[in-house]
Amino acid sequence: MASLTSIATPYRSSTYPSSSQALRVKLTGNTLFSAGVRSPASSSSSSSFLTIRSAATKPDKPAAEVDWRQKRELLLEKRVRSVDVKEALRLQKENNFVILDVRPEAEYKEGHPPGAINVEMYRLIREWTPWDIARRLGFAFFGIFSGTEENPEFIQSVEAKLDKEAKIIVACSSAGTMKPTQNLPEGQQSRSLIAAYVLVLNGYKNVFHLEGGIYTWSKEGLPIESEED
């Protein structure tokens, strides 16, 4: 089973195999043979390479999978600014800013800033194409049985709720940062920064980012409301 699930291991590589390409995965020890998997003979080492033919061609790379350096450059070019949680609350109250919570709906319902709008940046994998099945198996390989994918309806859902002139503060759980540090010279991406990138890419002009995310909002004792199913 391990060799089959390796086809969808969620690596951070920016390249994916097409239907005519092979993904080479290094495994330790003996491997199991499954449909579509072959193992070259290896007598000199306990490690072997498996050549796995992908079951389907991966769709074109979505905006969310663009390299973080490119995203950061555009965010800085478009003057997307990070605001702390107390400033975000003030802007929401005094300047008609909207907090766009891009966490999964279940997390949003557990607790969110009052008045925040929820549009998931990522959602549970819904389809059952060969590629989606492979991705489900890849997540399962790591013990994750609720694999997610970029929400293909994200921008359409936002456009249905907010016009391009809206003043938006994008929030997720703990957020990333565009600020360079010694360990992270280019900052660190997050769901909210990815969402901010997608928004400015689609013509939104007043996009801000919630520094510290909903975690910091809650930790600072700012208002939180929940929703019952």
Side-chain angles (χ1 to χ4, degrees):
M1 186 63 180
S3 58
L4 177 60
T5 58
S6 299
I7 191 173
T9 302
Y11 295 113
R12 286 172 289 182
S13 170
S14 60
T15 58
Y16 295 84
S18 70
S19 56
S20 61
Q21 294 175 316
L23 173 66
R24 296 183 67 81
V25 181
K26 185 176 182 180
L27 298 177
T28 302
N30 295 328
T31 56
L32 298 176
F33 287 88
S34 301
V37 178
R38 61 182 175 84
S39 176
S42 177
S43 57
S44 60
S45 171
S46 61
S47 296
S48 61
F49 282 93
L50 297 182
T51 301
I52 304 173
R53 300 291 173 181
S54 66
T57 301
K58 184 184 183 298
D60 291 339
K61 181 185 290 187
E65 291 184 17
V66 169
D67 182 74
W68 164 237
R69 184 178 298 178
Q70 286 181 249
K71 294 194 195 85
R72 183 174 180 269
E73 286 177 359
L74 181 67
L75 291 170
L76 294 173
E77 178 187 325
K78 297 294 184 180
R79 302 183 183 277
V80 173
R81 182 168 68 90
S82 295
V83 296
D84 64 41
V85 293
K86 291 183 178 179
E87 183 180 4
L89 178 61
R90 181 187 65 78
L91 291 171
Q92 184 191 32
K93 287 184 174 180
E94 300 176 7
N95 297 87
N96 297 318
F97 275 64
V98 176
I99 295 176
L100 177 63
D101 189 332
V102 299
R103 297 177 299 160
E105 184 180 11
E107 292 182 34
Y108 170 81
K109 287 184 174 181
E110 286 177 4
H112 56 267
I117 294 173
N118 178 230
V119 179
E120 299 173 311
M121 184 68 229
Y122 290 89
R123 69 180 189 186
L124 294 177
I125 298 172
R126 296 182 182 179
E127 303 299 327
W128 289 92
T129 66
W131 176 255
D132 292 316
I133 292 170
R135 288 193 298 160
R136 290 172 191 271
L137 291 171
F139 279 110
F141 182 78
F142 287 94
I144 302 170
F145 298 100
S146 299
T148 59
E149 63 183 355
E150 183 187 352
N151 178 6
E153 300 168 358
F154 173 75
I155 196 66
Q156 292 90 339
S157 298
V158 174
E159 288 173 343
K161 299 178 178 183
L162 300 168
D163 63 46
K164 297 295 174 71
E165 302 297 327
K167 294 174 283 190
I168 303 170
I169 301 172
V170 190
C172 64
S173 296
S174 55
T177 182
M178 291 183 287
K179 298 175 182 176
T181 65
Q182 184 173 355
N183 293 331
L184 298 167
E186 294 180 350
Q188 185 174 35
Q189 72 173 336
S190 63
R191 289 176 294 184
S192 52
L193 285 169
I194 293 171
Y197 169 80
V198 174
L199 290 174
V200 297
L201 203 62
N202 284 274
Y204 280 86
K205 300 179 175 65
N206 302 298
V207 179
F208 295 75
H209 164 249
L210 184 65
E211 192 81 39
I214 304 302
Y215 170 79
T216 302
W217 181 286
S218 178
K219 187 178 178 181
E220 291 290 328
L222 301 184
I224 289 284
E225 64 181 18
S226 58
E227 297 181 14
E228 299 293 335
D229 288 328

